[in-house]
Amino acid sequence: MEAIKKHFPIFRHQKDLIYLDSAATTQTPQVVIDALTAYYTNYRANVHRGFYALATKATNAYESARDSVAHLIKAKREEIIFTSGTTMGLNSLAYSLSPRLSHRDNVVLTRLEHHANLVPWQEMAKHYGFELRFIELKKYELDLESAKKLIDANTKIVSFTLVSNVLGNITPAEELIRLVRQKAPRALAIVDAAQAIAHLPIDVKKLDCDFLVFSGHKMYGPTGSGALYGKKMLLDEHLEPFFFGGEMVRSVSYESADWMPSPHKFEAGTPNIAGAIGLGAAADFIMKLGWKKIQNHESELTAHALKKLKNEVTIIGPVRNRIGVIAFTIPGVHPHDIADILNQKKICLRAGYHCAEPLHHYLNISATARASFGIYTTKKEIDALAKGIQKIKKMFL
Amino acid sequence: MTDAIYHELLLDLYKHPLNKRVLPDCDARQTEHNPSCGDTIEVCVKWDTNNAVKAVAWQGDGCAVSQAAASILTEKIKGKKRNAIKKISNQKMLQLLGLKNLNPTRLRCATLCLETLKKICR
Ligand SMILES: Cc1ncc(COP(=O)(O)O)c(C=O)c1O
């Protein structure tokens, strides 16, 4: 996989960089940088507006990026709405869906959720009075028995992560959604795929989710890009636009307006054109590498890391059914000290709550350190991490 | 390891803290939290008749910097008047810790105990 590193210019510019924070944001391959540069240098124009050739070229590139993103998750192109990322996707859904809910209803989340899939629902619950429920964990895994008890006829939304950004576990999404269909046939299932998108093949039809959101910057794409997938029928008939303005309207009078068909009715204003084009290039990059190669490499890395670290640190997360996001603690050493000392060896990893503070309290742990991998991560880098940890322990204990 | 922040004194204080205990029937008690890393410090002070520190103790947990700072600072202020404590600057705190050029996140760790104490002295 050293060969894959060559696709990422940062590793040429930052010699000896050991980047173990891909769960926060991934690095950018040259093909994505090239796609952004090509738009800015060769054919920049607004999309869906101009009649001249340059605008057509920009529009084609933007719409072809939609094809690439659709292809990545096996959706139809009209089911892909470009967003600025997962947070915007989840907020848009919360704002758009919550006004239909009342004090009799409930929204089911899980104990795992990132703040982005918790705080918007808390805020909406204040306005619309619905109840929030949380599926419990059992040995770090979602407990489907708890889900069975919590989801009932008054459940209107079930929103959950496909991979925890702290524990790294892959949730039983298909089973959970099947359960939702049985217990609450009219509820909508939302999947937060932020941590899954670069690491697992996703098939939205097989998952049978109603909506799925992710960020470009966690899948080797540009910051400020992302997508919201919605089932076509729901986008056409159920979900109201959340922003209003140019591009999303078909005709407008001083009194009122009507909307373009989806997905355009959800993309008001000039979008992040370069970002969408870069996101498309990132999706192509992943598809070209192929899931088999990505998953083989990353599962080997994860197994290697778990083996190397298991006797040095306390790993917070399951052993199986997980990806390369590994949270850990060293009793007697604060995670910030761990990250700070590793930083001096050019090892980047994150320490703190990782935007999942309630999960830490729920598990009765204070902050954690977290190492997370991408396709460019190597075993040698994990060995360097293990060595760094041994040094820290010598210093502190 | 050549390490500007984690020098021996600091690590030593982290492992063997000073004044880290419960202070029964204190006059003032204050807890501060640094949400970015989860450091927590509680400081308790007992004043004498001259408004000077008669006894001080702290509790909490967090990173080596915040914990060492609490030990050093509580040691430093014994017998000091309220007004003198109010005048201790962040710069002085770093000097006590033997640190310079901390990045802003780490600076908050270093000054958490000082902030807490200043609230008590208000
Ligand atoms: C599981 C999960 N959900 C949501 C988010 C929020 O993503 P973004 O900050 O890109 O909007 C993240 C990112 O940290 C995440 O890991």
Side-chain angles (χ1 to χ4, degrees), chain A residues 23-24 85-88 90 114 116 161 163 165 192 194-195 215 217-218:
Chain A
T86 310
T87 302
M88 177 182 167
L90 290 167
H114 185 280
T161 192
V163 169
N165 67 315
D192 172 353
Q195 287 300 338
S215 304
H217 74 94
K218 291 189 202 285

Side-chain angles (χ1 to χ4, degrees), chain A residues 23-25 84-90 112-117 160-166 192-196 213-218 224-225 350 354-355 370:
Chain A
T25 193
S84 70
T86 310
T87 302
M88 177 182 167
L90 290 167
L112 292 170
E113 301 314 309
H114 185 280
H115 298 163
N117 194 28
F160 66 98
T161 192
L162 186 49
V163 169
S164 160
N165 67 315
V166 179
D192 172 353
Q195 287 300 338
V213 292
F214 54 92
S215 304
H217 74 94
K218 291 189 202 285
S225 70
R350 192 163 164 190
H354 322 294
C355 297
R370 181 187 73 183

